[in-house]
Amino acid sequence: MQDFFDITVNLARILGAVAFVLGLIRFKRLTKAEKWYVFYLFVVFCIEYISYGLDWFSKDGNNTFLYPFYIAGEFFTITGVFIKKLNLNRSYFILTGVISLFFLSADQFLSSDLYKNDYSKGISNLVIISLAGYTLLQEIKKGIAKDRFSAVDKMIFLYFTVSIFIFIFQHQLMEFPIAYFTAFWSVNNILCCLFYSLFIKTFLTLKK
């Protein structure tokens, strides 16, 4: 099971990198809202490969300090996608920026070192799910032409919904054999692979 977990982690990293590179190649073809997908992939790409580099070169392999940056960057860029798609006022960027800064400094406000980032991740996911769901409903309600990234938006809704449950139960799973924990997280890795694969497919099918 550990081998399978390692495979899915590395596959997700590779697919994420490919998706980011394709996003850069197709960047000029994207609308202002769609460019925020590439900003998101950039954040994930940087965090993942900085983390990988630390694991490779650092003796203790401690990269937990990167996690708040991941949560904050992920939140700001994904919400940016839907703020643009919903044509919301620019002041919403100020609001999401303030919330992102809170995620970066959650340890100053939450007393539990073990769960502080889980609270941030939970709040972040709930906001993202709400915005993604509302955007998809508006597309259906208004009967507008199919969005080029509608499949990605649906995957965002699914991925971040499942992530909430993963983060809720991950600490309980630590009390079980390591095989249970790795199997649980392998589900998240598989969803990441599907998520990045949809990005790759969407970027490849974009027309000039």
Side-chain angles (χ1 to χ4, degrees):
M1 184 56 70
Q2 183 63 45
D3 290 340
F4 180 72
F5 174 80
D6 293 337
I7 290 171
T8 56
V9 167
N10 291 322
L11 181 59
R13 283 174 174 161
I14 293 170
L15 291 174
V18 172
F20 172 57
V21 172
L22 284 175
L24 290 179
I25 294 172
R26 297 289 197 272
F27 195 75
K28 292 184 178 180
R29 303 182 187 179
L30 304 177
T31 65
K32 289 182 179 180
E34 292 169 347
K35 287 177 179 178
W36 280 84
Y37 291 111
V38 182
F39 300 154
Y40 162 72
L41 291 171
F42 171 72
V43 169
V44 174
F45 176 84
C46 289
I47 297 296
E48 285 288 347
Y49 282 90
I50 290 174
S51 175
Y52 179 76
L54 290 173
D55 287 340
W56 185 266
F57 294 106
S58 177
K59 292 182 179 180
D60 58 8
N62 186 3
N63 54 23
T64 55
F65 71 94
L66 290 171
Y67 193 46
F69 291 94
Y70 174 77
I71 296 172
E74 175 187 73
F75 177 79
F76 186 71
T77 51
I78 292 292
T79 54
V81 170
F82 299 115
I83 289 173
K84 282 291 187 180
K85 283 193 171 187
L86 294 169
N87 294 314
L88 299 179
N89 191 285
R90 291 184 179 180
S91 60
Y92 281 92
F93 280 109
I94 298 176
L95 176 61
T96 56
V98 171
I99 296 173
S100 298
L101 290 175
F102 170 78
F103 292 153
L104 283 175
S105 57
D107 59 333
Q108 303 297 319
F109 302 96
L110 301 174
S111 59
S112 173
D113 289 337
L114 182 61
Y115 296 109
K116 63 190 177 186
N117 288 322
D118 290 350
Y119 293 139
S120 297
K121 183 65 175 173
I123 294 170
S124 172
N125 282 21
L126 285 172
V127 174
I128 290 172
I129 291 167
S130 299
L131 283 173
Y134 183 73
T135 301
L136 292 170
L137 287 174
Q138 288 301 304
E139 290 179 5
I140 296 172
K141 182 179 178 181
K142 295 180 179 179
I144 59 177
K146 185 177 180 180
D147 188 285
R148 299 193 296 180
F149 283 81
S150 61
V152 173
D153 290 345
K154 292 173 184 175
M155 191 63 198
I156 287 174
F157 184 84
L158 174 63
Y159 173 70
F160 285 95
T161 299
V162 174
S163 291
I164 288 180
F165 292 100
I166 290 176
F167 281 90
I168 287 175
F169 293 111
Q170 65 172 331
H171 295 290
Q172 286 78 4
L173 284 172
M174 289 181 180
E175 300 175 2
F176 291 87
I178 189 64
Y180 287 83
F181 187 77
T182 53
F184 203 61
W185 270 102
S186 293
V187 173
N188 182 74
N189 296 336
I190 292 170
L191 285 175
C192 279
C193 292
L194 293 174
F195 190 20
Y196 297 141
S197 295
L198 277 176
F199 270 115
I200 293 170
K201 178 183 177 182
T202 302
F203 286 136
L204 288 175
T205 55
L206 287 179
K207 297 180 181 178
K208 293 184 179 180

